Amino acid sequence: MSLISSRQKKTRAELRKYGLVMFAAFGVISGLLFWRERPAWIFTAVPSLLFLVFALALPGALAPVEKLWMKLAAVLGFIMTNVLLFLVFLLAIIPTGFILRILGKTPLKKGFSEDSSSSSNSYWIEVDKNGPGSRPEKPY
């Protein structure tokens, strides 16, 4: 399965839009750096102006840049999704499981009953007959 869209050829309008978005992004970064009196603003102002010129005059020339940028975005998206899922699991799911084990809680009510004198032949849990399933028009 490819991370990149199967559509390869971008229209001039799409490339122009890409160039203008990149112009705006680099322009905002340049403006912030200039406002904070950082000398590095020139290194983002030049690409910003180049994106503007190419977007308005020659949007077709932005095709290889856009293609490379989209590949990079797909790779970064794949990596960040996995990093975020790992962090959520590490910081939320695992501690919750440990706390529940320490407290002796079993939210799924798993396991067999140790009481052999139980007259119950089933582990089925009865639910309220007037619960949300009986009135689909009013699930609340």
Side-chain angles (χ1 to χ4, degrees):
M1 182 170 100
S2 175
L3 296 174
I4 307 299
S5 172
S6 61
R7 184 174 176 215
Q8 299 295 327
K9 187 77 171 160
K10 299 286 184 175
T11 65
R12 289 177 57 86
E14 290 172 328
L15 291 171
R16 181 171 286 122
K17 184 178 177 181
Y18 166 73
L20 293 175
V21 167
M22 293 301 284
F23 158 71
F26 277 111
V28 167
I29 294 169
S30 295
L32 289 173
L33 290 173
F34 182 77
W35 180 54
R36 297 196 61 173
E37 298 176 359
R38 304 276 195 243
W41 70 271
I42 194 73
F43 295 111
T44 54
V46 170
S48 176
L49 293 175
L50 285 173
F51 272 111
L52 177 64
V53 168
F54 279 106
L56 297 177
L58 209 59
L62 291 174
V65 177
E66 189 267 348
K67 188 175 181 180
L68 182 66
W69 184 258
M70 290 299 120
K71 285 183 181 181
L72 176 66
V75 170
L76 287 176
F78 179 77
I79 291 169
M80 289 310 299
T81 299
N82 288 316
V83 167
L84 288 175
L85 284 173
F86 172 74
L87 288 176
V88 166
F89 190 79
L90 186 69
L91 299 175
I93 307 297
I94 291 175
T96 302
F98 281 143
I99 291 169
L100 288 174
R101 277 194 185 184
I102 290 169
L103 296 175
K105 305 281 184 183
T106 55
L108 296 178
K109 296 187 179 23
K110 334 184 271 187
F112 295 104
S113 173
E114 295 293 328
D115 185 15
S116 61
S117 65
S118 172
S119 62
S120 173
N121 293 333
S122 172
Y123 286 98
W124 183 266
I125 299 171
E126 292 293 328
V127 295
D128 183 17
K129 298 284 187 213
N130 296 322
S134 66
R135 52 179 197 276
E137 69 281 352
K138 290 180 76 177
Y140 43 89

